[in-house]
């Protein structure tokens, strides 16, 4: 091919994410507890459910300046591949956990609709039938319109609400302005958020 080197572009592989987190068993002044303090066992149970559910989930990391401005974010669908509890006397009562995630891509079959077309030959006055295949990729439609408000549930973030209803989590700042929320990182369960 052109008597030289070629570069074949391939689709990128799935991203692997590994990180370590501290799960405190005591309240610390440097931490924020919007839904109230929970011990390490609360989060270990959540990790266990995610591991055993065999279902993908949304993984969001917001990197913020001290003044609340967003630096950049990570937002992807992942599966929990594994987690390991790292116990050490240096951690006191707290627990360190190493977590391994893998990016998830949806997959499935394509739907093919076949339609028959009829063709008439005028010279012989006979009817000939030809089969024509039409290939369509269909996206599932919910038929639902976007609501005007959303009532916050426990554990939800403004970022996740913007992603769900506006299709882009970074639009959380627009929701904060519309709803006069001074700190977009702090919303409470039961709060009604205007979406537009």
């Amino acid at each position: 091919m052109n008597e030289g080197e070629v570069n074949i572009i391939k689709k990128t592989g799935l991203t692997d994410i590994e990180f370590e987190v501290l799960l405190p068993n005591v309240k610390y002044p440097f931490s924020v507890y919007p839904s109230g303090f929970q011990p390490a066992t609360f989060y270990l149970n959540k990790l266990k459910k995610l591991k055993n559910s065999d279902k993908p989930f949304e993984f969001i990391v917001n990197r913020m300046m001290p003044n609340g401005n967003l630096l950049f974010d990570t937002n992807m669908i992942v599966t929990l591949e594994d987690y390991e509890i790292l116990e050490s006397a240096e951690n006191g009562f707290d627990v360190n956990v190493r977590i391994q995630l893998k990016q998830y891509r949806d997959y499935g079959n394509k739907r093919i609709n076949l339609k028959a077309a009829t063709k008439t030959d005028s010279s012989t006055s006979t009817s000939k039938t030809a089969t024509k295949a039409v290939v369509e990729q269909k996206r599932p439609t919910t038929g639902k319109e976007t609501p005007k408000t959303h009532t916050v549930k426990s554990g939800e973030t403004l970022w996740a609400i913007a992603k769900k209803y506006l299709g882009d989590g970074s639009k959380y700042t627009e929701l904060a302005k519309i709803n006069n929320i001074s700190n977009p990182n702090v919303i409470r369960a039961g709060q009604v958020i205007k979406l537009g």
Side-chain angles (χ1 to χ4, degrees), residues 147-185:
K148 294 183 181 177
T149 61
H150 172 77
T151 304
V152 177
K153 296 178 189 72
S154 178
E156 281 189 314
T157 63
L158 207 55
W159 176 275
I161 294 167
K163 173 76 175 167
K164 180 177 179 180
Y165 293 108
L166 306 179
D168 183 358
S170 64
K171 291 186 177 178
Y172 77 100
T173 53
E174 294 175 22
L175 291 181
K177 286 178 187 173
I178 293 169
N179 292 278
N180 295 320
I181 298 171
S182 57
N183 185 351
N185 295 318

Side-chain angles (χ1 to χ4, degrees), residues 33-103:
Y33 307 100
S35 303
F37 174 77
Q38 298 289 348
T41 53
F42 174 81
Y43 299 103
L44 290 172
N45 286 334
K46 284 192 174 286
L47 288 171
K48 185 177 179 181
K49 284 180 185 174
L50 286 171
K51 176 74 174 145
N52 294 334
S53 70
D54 295 328
K55 290 181 182 175
F57 57 93
E58 196 168 20
F59 176 67
I60 301 172
V61 179
N62 292 329
R63 294 160 184 88
M64 311 288 288
M65 298 278 284
N67 63 6
N69 289 339
L70 180 71
L71 286 170
F72 67 99
D73 61 83
T74 300
N75 187 349
M76 63 175 66
I77 304 297
V78 298
T79 56
L80 178 58
E81 296 297 294
D82 201 8
Y83 68 95
E84 179 185 2
I85 299 170
L86 309 170
E87 296 190 73
S88 170
E90 294 176 4
N91 295 333
F93 296 110
D94 300 331
V95 178
N96 273 20
V97 181
R98 183 180 295 123
I99 298 174
Q100 295 174 352
L101 306 175
K102 190 172 187 82
Q103 185 180 13

Side-chain angles (χ1 to χ4, degrees), residues 181-194:
I181 298 171
S182 57
N183 185 351
N185 295 318
V186 180
I187 56 174
R188 65 185 186 284
Q191 185 175 352
V192 178
I193 303 292
K194 295 176 190 171

